Amino acid sequence: MEVPHELSWGDVYYSPFLLVIILSVIATWITVVILNKTRLSRLIAYPSMTFIAITVLYTVAIDAYFIQF
């Protein structure tokens, strides 16, 4: 499997890190929706810092296992 070095859209080249960040934010939003539906979010003291922490965890996981930049 070849690791993407650059992503292109038209004549503009993007870093694969941009795709990793976008995917991790989408995954974090899905996780937050699930936490809100199951009412587990009421146990979180700082929701905004938790959102950032989950985003960082997803970024590391996606980078390590799926798209390596």
Side-chain angles (χ1 to χ4, degrees):
M1 184 164 104
E2 185 178 328
V3 177
H5 295 285
E6 292 177 333
L7 302 171
S8 64
W9 187 19
D11 291 335
V12 180
Y13 292 100
Y14 298 101
S15 171
F17 185 64
L18 181 65
L19 179 62
V20 170
I21 292 295
I22 291 170
L23 290 176
S24 64
V25 168
I26 291 170
T28 304
W29 276 334
I30 292 170
T31 303
V32 167
V33 167
I34 292 170
L35 287 174
N36 287 336
K37 294 277 185 190
T38 59
R39 297 191 50 194
L40 290 173
S41 61
R42 62 188 168 91
L43 302 173
I44 297 172
Y46 299 103
S48 58
M49 288 187 5
T50 305
F51 186 87
I52 293 172
I54 294 172
T55 304
V56 169
L57 290 174
Y58 276 127
T59 302
V60 170
I62 290 172
D63 177 50
Y65 297 112
F66 298 112
I67 303 171
Q68 298 173 345
F69 62 91

